[in-house]
Amino acid sequence: MDCLFCRIIAGEIPSNKVYEDDQVYAFRDIAPQAPTHILVIPKEHLSGVSDITPENSAIVAHIFEVIPAIARAEGLTNGYRVVSNCGPDACQSVPHLHFHILGGRKLGETMA
Ligand code: AMP
């Protein structure tokens, strides 16, 4: 298993967990780009958004149920941004599907 996030899920690499269930793991980004910066990942290894199919997309719906619950728990009452980088042009650095939750301050108006 050479996937960094699979190793985090397995507990082989430490992380600052904020949420876990049987399908999803969420933890604080090691290099936060906002006061709150959390990564939400499926426990199943998918390389990124481009790996989502009709057969496995239920996990994405579940992740998008978990995200607002995490945001509420983090007190992000004034809004937040959800980002998923996919592939080299988007500068994806870890090839395991993940959604960034960014918040805790007014974020920039541009996304690219
Ligand atoms: P991306 O560049 O969209 O693939 O996002 C990968 C994110 O993973 C980056 O924001 C990194 O800071 C973060 N990251 C990398 N290694 C770790 C780690 N060991 N624990 C927590 N976050 C990490």
Side-chain angles (χ1 to χ4, degrees):
M1 185 165 60
D2 61 1
C3 170
L4 172 64
F5 287 176
C6 285
R7 295 186 69 195
I8 285 176
I9 292 164
E12 295 173 12
I13 293 173
S15 65
N16 193 340
K17 179 171 82 172
V18 298
Y19 176 85
E20 181 175 16
D21 64 27
D22 58 331
Q23 301 171 74
V24 166
Y25 191 81
F27 55 107
R28 296 194 191 279
D29 197 291
I30 203 167
Q33 296 188 34
T36 299
H37 187 170
I38 292 167
L39 301 172
V40 187
I41 66 177
K43 289 188 172 178
E44 175 188 5
H45 181 86
L46 301 171
S47 68
V49 169
S50 56
D51 262 3
I52 298 168
T53 67
E55 287 71 39
N56 63 27
S57 62
I59 186 61
V60 180
H62 182 59
I63 285 172
F64 273 80
E65 294 164 0
V66 166
I67 284 171
I70 291 174
R72 276 192 296 275
E74 293 288 319
L76 300 178
T77 55
N78 209 40
Y80 53 91
R81 183 169 288 158
V82 179
V83 175
S84 188
N85 295 316
C86 183
D89 275 4
C91 303
Q92 181 180 5
S93 61
V94 180
H96 182 125
L97 178 64
H98 53 282
F99 295 88
H100 299 254
I101 303 173
L102 297 149
R105 65 165 165 79
K106 179 83 170 175
L107 300 171
E109 290 186 2
T110 60
M111 285 190 288

